[in-house]
Amino acid sequence: MRLNAPDKKILQLAGEDISRNFSHNYTINELAANAHMSASLVKNGFQSMYNQPVHRYILQKKLAFALDKIEEDELTLAQIAKQCGYRHTTNFIAAFKKQYGYTPGRAKPRS
């Protein structure tokens, strides 16, 4: 998909917004409304710019933040899960394991 410069800028801003507010569970329609674009342009344009769907991008941002927080070893997994926008720690653990291949508990520093 070829994007014009204004559309690229708008999608870049959407990506930056997601990066700052990754705990918010954005929908394509919400991003489209915020960007004043069609949902299909957001969906396809985001895929074109970031080489991944919006959902995957959001998930990567959440889990990268979680990994950093786990390695800092200052918060519980439940606190980290909540900061990432998960209502249930079990869902967070499952997503983390799927992304990284190991559980968050294995990422915690050992004393």
Side-chain angles (χ1 to χ4, degrees):
M1 164 178 235
R2 292 192 56 101
L3 295 166
N4 62 36
D7 288 346
K8 283 182 182 179
K9 182 65 177 170
I10 290 169
L11 290 170
Q12 179 184 4
L13 291 173
E16 291 170 4
D17 190 39
I18 290 168
S19 294
R20 284 189 304 275
N21 302 306
F22 55 82
S23 64
H24 181 79
N25 292 313
Y26 289 98
T27 64
I28 297 288
N29 289 335
E30 181 179 8
L31 289 169
N34 291 346
H36 304 289
M37 300 174 121
S38 70
S40 64
L41 181 55
V42 169
K43 181 180 173 185
N44 296 326
F46 207 92
Q47 173 75 39
S48 177
M49 277 188 64
Y50 293 98
N51 296 317
Q52 59 188 332
V54 174
H55 178 322
R56 170 66 41 200
Y57 183 83
I58 294 169
L59 187 61
Q60 281 185 332
K61 294 296 180 185
K62 286 181 182 196
L63 296 177
F65 171 84
L67 182 58
D68 287 344
K69 288 296 180 184
I70 291 166
E71 290 173 346
E72 288 174 6
D73 200 27
E74 296 175 4
L75 301 172
T76 66
L77 290 181
Q79 290 169 320
I80 295 168
K82 187 173 183 176
Q83 285 186 356
C84 290
Y86 287 91
R87 290 186 199 168
H88 304 287
T89 305
T90 53
N91 293 345
F92 163 70
I93 292 169
F96 189 97
K97 185 174 181 181
K98 185 175 181 182
Q99 175 75 20
Y100 293 112
Y102 53 90
T103 63
R106 286 199 44 217
K108 280 193 153 301
R110 303 288 182 228
S111 300

